[in-house]
Amino acid sequence: MKQLNVDLGDRSYPIYIGDGIIEQIGSYFAKHQISSRSPIMVITDDNVASLHLKKVTTHLLESGYKVVEYIVPAGEMSKSLSVLEQIIGKALDAGLDRTSTIIALGGGVVGDLAGFVAASFMRGVKFVQIPTTILAHDSSVGGKVAVNHPKAKNIIGAFHQPQIVLYDTSTLKTLPEREIKAGLSEMIKHGLIWDAEFSKWIDENAEKLLSLDAEALEYGLYNGCKIKSHVVSEDEREHGLRAILNFGHTIGHALEAVAHYNQLLHGEAIAIGMVGAAKLSVRLGYPERIYTETKAAMKKYGLPIQIPGHLDIDEIMKAMLHDKKFKEGKVVFTILKDIGEAHIQSGISIDLIREIVEELRWEE
Ligand SMILES: NC(=O)c1ccc[n+]([C@@H]2O[C@H](COP(=O)([O-])OP(=O)(O)OC[C@H]3O[C@@H](n4cnc5c(N)ncnc54)[C@H](O)[C@@H]3O)[C@@H](O)[C@H]2O)c1
Ligand SMILES: [Zn+2]
């Protein structure tokens, strides 16, 4: 078992990572003052409910907690105001109050949704994350919680830090292979932007991580969370440094949008985006190895590196520049100065970015 503290003054919280820690949920809750006076609500999705909800509920009941379950349909569509309203209706009917705790049991979708329920119900109640995807090592650190609006993703939200995060690596064993790879894509990102040594470790341990070796997962998730938490502690509200976490995301988000959020998983889209951002870094004069090593990592992990043929380049450029501040044909981009060293560079020409996006069509 590994423990990590996310350092945010009086909003600091611990992340526990290990195999089977759900079994000790009662003692973690007692240690972190999760009250058993009023009911606790566990929010999850229908996939995770059938696999992991029973054990969470059973251990909570055994520890003397009153539990209310809320199951949403799996998928991004559940991050909506109407689902939020229904959950709050159930919370009121079940007698939750200001001292209640909301638990997110699931991936980033459930984490963002349940976190926003916790942030808004009675102006904010305690929140606990039990992440069940690899990608959620990213979303469980930093306190960004949100639902979507039909016009934009994550646009209705808040910053709401959890009380604790219980990362039970045994839950990851039921993940589909494609979700495993896509989740590891964010872990690769954390190495690339911050820690060359961790990047090297990720490269050397691909087989173990892809086969969900417990020890390797614990170490990888711990380091991924640690890097994110380091960045977030220095810049909780994204005034500057936090933007380096967007490495690969400018192109990645555009690809997700043009593919209508249903063809590419987030981790797959940012894998292509990272290859693009690495290419851009080299074009701006930084070492060639940034591109060769980034691309090799994606290939090793079975992640895509090429923009699918049916996605229109004009549409991608439009989606990308839509939410980018740009002046006189110049934009700001997160690039790498070297492996393990990210940097936010302004004044990059849109023509150069277009060239790179066009090349990504033929990457192999
Ligand atoms: N708040 C943040 O900082 C932050 C950061 C990154 C991503 N996100 C958000 O996270 C979401 C993506 O997260 P995700 O990739 O975890 O998606 P997800 O929550 O949709 O999970 C992916 C799929 O895996 C299934 N699943 C989850 N756990 C499982 C398990 N243990 N076994 C089998 N199936 C399981 C889910 O039902 C779903 O179908 C997006 O909405 C994104 O906006 C938020
Ligand atoms: Zn991401």
Side-chain angles (χ1 to χ4, degrees):
M1 207 273 291
K2 283 195 154 50
Q3 182 187 341
L4 173 81
N5 281 305
V6 181
D7 237 341
L8 294 167
D10 57 2
R11 291 178 314 292
S12 298
Y13 62 93
I15 301 179
Y16 297 98
I17 306 169
D19 192 72
I21 60 179
I22 284 176
E23 284 157 35
Q24 276 112 50
I25 193 167
S27 53
Y28 285 110
F29 274 29
K31 188 170 165 202
H32 294 282
Q33 290 90 40
I34 304 292
S35 161
S36 57
R37 228 170 20 148
S38 43
I40 277 188
M41 180 180 257
V42 184
I43 301 174
T44 190
D45 72 28
D46 48 10
N47 290 334
V48 181
S50 63
L51 298 161
H52 304 292
L53 179 59
K54 191 156 177 260
K55 86 186 145 217
V56 171
T57 304
T58 308
H59 287 295
L60 284 172
L61 290 172
E62 277 170 9
S63 311
Y65 289 94
K66 295 181 274 293
V67 184
V68 182
E69 297 174 344
Y70 198 101
I71 302 171
V72 301
E76 193 67 31
M77 292 299 284
S78 286
K79 272 173 64 174
S80 74
L81 277 180
S82 64
V83 172
L84 176 88
E85 194 178 348
Q86 288 163 37
I87 296 176
I88 290 188
K90 169 121 182 210
L92 290 170
D93 291 345
L96 269 79
D97 62 26
R98 249 180 217 104
T99 62
S100 291
T101 297
I102 305 287
I103 302 180
L105 172 69
V109 163
V110 165
D112 281 11
L113 169 67
F116 192 56
V117 171
S120 51
F121 182 62
M122 298 196 167
R123 296 195 184 82
V125 296
K126 284 182 179 168
F127 173 43
V128 171
Q129 293 241 34
I130 308 181
T132 64
T133 64
I134 296 176
L135 189 126
H137 86 274
D138 181 25
S139 54
S140 64
V141 183
K144 281 189 179 177
V145 295
V147 295
N148 302 326
H149 184 276
K151 286 183 192 241
K153 249 191 98 169
N154 296 332
I155 211 76
I156 308 162
F159 283 96
H160 193 64
Q161 305 295 345
Q163 211 64 21
I164 41 172
V165 176
L166 296 178
Y167 217 138
D168 186 336
T169 51
S170 75
T171 63
L172 305 174
K173 294 195 180 99
T174 55
L175 277 173
E177 196 185 330
R178 204 175 151 200
E179 295 287 350
I180 295 174
K181 292 177 178 167
L184 290 169
S185 176
E186 290 288 357
M187 191 188 287
I188 297 171
K189 179 197 81 180
H190 286 126
L192 289 174
I193 62 168
W194 197 259
D195 185 342
E197 218 169 284
F198 181 44
S199 242
K200 186 159 168 267
W201 179 88
I202 292 175
D203 176 62
E204 287 163 354
N205 287 276
E207 212 173 298
K208 284 190 179 165
L209 285 171
L210 285 165
S211 63
L212 304 179
D213 172 86
E215 209 176 311
L217 264 181
E218 210 173 279
Y219 182 80
L221 293 172
Y222 171 82
N223 275 283
C225 289
K226 193 168 85 178
I227 291 166
K228 176 142 187 204
S229 102
H230 199 98
V231 173
V232 169
S233 314
E234 281 187 30
D235 178 22
E236 188 180 358
R237 298 219 162 214
E238 196 158 349
H239 297 302
L241 181 70
R242 193 165 175 161
I244 67 169
L245 299 167
N246 290 338
F247 179 64
H249 282 58
T250 306
I251 296 175
H253 281 154
L255 296 175
E256 282 184 280
V258 175
H260 305 292
Y261 296 103
N262 60 15
Q263 295 155 41
L264 285 168
L265 296 178
H266 176 70
E268 294 170 342
I270 66 155
I272 303 168
M274 284 190 271
V275 175
K279 242 176 185 309
L280 178 63
S281 311
V282 174
R283 213 65 76 80
L284 293 168
Y286 297 108
E288 178 75 23
R289 61 175 171 270
I290 297 171
Y291 167 65
T292 46
E293 289 182 22
T294 300
K295 181 165 150 176
M298 302 312 157
K299 288 178 92 161
K300 201 162 191 177
Y301 278 84
L303 285 159
I305 55 170
Q306 191 185 72
I307 294 181
H310 65 283
L311 300 183
D312 184 70
I313 301 283
D314 287 332
E315 295 271 313
I316 296 168
M317 292 305 294
K318 218 166 86 191
M320 191 162 28
L321 299 174
H322 167 74
D323 60 358
K324 279 246 134 188
K325 291 179 211 100
F326 64 101
K327 274 195 240 154
E328 294 154 15
K330 309 272 190 193
V331 288
V332 176
F333 230 88
T334 304
I335 56 152
L336 298 182
K337 281 179 155 176
D338 206 340
I339 300 294
E341 201 186 331
H343 164 76
I344 298 148
Q345 189 149 329
S346 52
I348 298 174
S349 98
I350 291 174
D351 292 342
L352 174 58
I353 293 170
R354 187 183 175 103
E355 235 172 77
I356 293 210
V357 169
E358 277 168 358
E359 286 173 26
L360 283 175
R361 168 81 88 216
W362 309 108
E363 208 65 39
E364 51 186 32

